[in-house]
Each structure stands twice: as C-alpha cells, then as structure tokens.
Amino acid sequence: MKYLPHRILFYAGILIVWQLVFMAGVWPSNVFPSPYEVVEDIAYGITDGGLFYGIATSMWRLLVGLGIAITGGVILGVLMARVEVVNQTVGSLVLGLQSIPSIAWVPLAILWYGLSDAGIIFVVAIGAIFAVTINTYTGVKNIDPHYIEAARNMGARGMQLVFGVLLPAAFPYMIAGFKQGWAFAWRGVIGAELLFAFLGLGHLLYAARSLTDVSYVIAIMLVIMGIGLAVDGIVFKRVEHKVMSRWGLR
C-alpha cells in the first residue's frame, strides 16, 4: 500500500500523455481514440449489461478450466516426483507440451469439441496444466528427505503422506505454479474466445474488430488487464504473503 500514490501518479501520467498525443493529432481519432472515448465505451458496456455478461462468461470458463488444470497438474506433479518411471516418461512429454502456446490448441479443440464451451475449457485447461505440474514436481522434489522419512517412521503412508507432508511442504512452489497457471489460463480463454467467436470478452474483442471500433477494442483490453491485475493483487499476492509468512520465507 505504501507504493499506491506512486502507482496512481504513474497511471495518471499515462492518461495525460495519451490525451496529449490524441490532441496533437498524430493519428486520426478512428485509429487512436481519446481516453474519454474509451471510458465512454466501458460505461456503455456496463449500462447495457453486455460487458458484465462477457466477464461472467469468460470467468466461468476460466474457473472450470483452471480447476481441471490445478487438479490434474498437482496429481501429475506428485506422481512425477515420487515415481521415477513416470518422471522419465510422462515428465519428458510434459516438458515438450509446455512449449506449445495455448492458442495453438484451438484448431484441435474446434475439431474435437466444435464451437462450444467444452472446446474453450479444453484450451484453458491444457494451457495451464503443465505450469502447475512442473511447479508441483519441483516443490515435492525439493522437500528434505528427512521430513518424509520421519513421517514414514510415524506411520504416514499413501494419501496420508501426500496430504499430510508432501503437499503442505511443496505448497510455496505450488502457489507459484497456480499463479503461472492462472496467467496462462486467462490468456488462453481470451484467445480461444477470440478465435471461437463464441461469447465472452474474447468475443467482444472480435466483434469490436469486425466493426473497426478501435476505442471499444482498447476498452475491452483494459478490462482484461484490469481483471488480471485485480486477481493477482486480491488473490495471489495475499495468498503468497500468507504462505511465505507461514514458512518463514519473509
């Protein structure tokens, strides 16, 4: 919070420069709109309900896809860390698949699921799962073996060992994976909606582009950025702070 005034001044400076460039007429208004026009489009989207519906649709797809990615990524990461044959086989595949951008899965999603919610959720989940997997794997592999041995000596086995020792000890790494997964998932859902042209914020971007409405394109982009900053600040930074404090890392 101590840097809040600096942040406000920084963004106010951007708005002032933006307005000055607009007033200078460097580009025509249909190419480079004023801040007022962009804010006006955001206000219009709020009043007619279209913006809220787009946000709700995108967030629903995001939460479902990210939930699948986190569940699958944690399971896969633990298996890779604890079972060497899984690490040597599936692990190498995970590293290869991680290099594929989530947007590259869209053609396959369309062929498999058609223009449906299931296709977009697939793109979101496949784009986020590998970041969660790798961070979970790293976290479990970095656990002090003495902790695991002590837990086994106390009778911890199977799921009790996983939920009582492995996951809590690996949680600082897992949080980083969840944060990365969220970023990939958010980009994935917008990109998929843009190409699917099927509701959501990505569809609003597609519609604005089709109408050559630059101010509305920028308005939707600012909304997307604002949601990303809000989720990072409200959810992940708070969770990270609590986790780091709990583990004595700050």
Side-chain angles (χ1 to χ4, degrees), residues 32-121:
F32 190 82
S34 69
Y36 175 78
E37 291 175 298
V38 174
V39 172
E40 193 176 41
D41 279 337
I42 293 175
Y44 177 77
I46 291 173
T47 54
D48 76 351
L51 188 58
F52 285 126
Y53 185 75
I55 291 171
T57 302
S58 294
M59 292 302 293
W60 176 77
R61 292 165 175 162
L62 173 84
L63 291 174
V64 175
L66 187 58
I68 294 170
I70 288 175
T71 302
V74 168
I75 293 172
L76 195 54
V78 171
L79 287 174
M80 285 168 51
R82 301 300 299 167
V83 183
E84 188 58 28
V85 67
V86 175
N87 184 36
Q88 293 300 323
T89 54
V90 178
S92 60
L93 180 62
V94 166
L95 290 174
L97 292 175
Q98 189 193 29
S99 64
I100 300 177
S102 56
I103 201 70
W105 293 95
V106 170
L108 193 59
I110 293 174
L111 291 173
W112 282 353
Y113 300 101
L115 299 177
S116 66
D117 283 322
I120 297 175
I121 291 170

Side-chain angles (χ1 to χ4, degrees), residues 75-87 136-137 140-141 143-145 148-149 152 158 161-162 166:
I75 293 172
L76 195 54
V78 171
L79 287 174
M80 285 168 51
R82 301 300 299 167
V83 183
E84 188 58 28
V85 67
V86 175
N87 184 36
T136 301
Y137 164 81
V140 175
K141 289 295 285 187
I143 297 173
D144 190 332
I148 299 175
E149 195 60 37
R152 282 177 171 167
L161 180 66
V162 171
L166 300 183

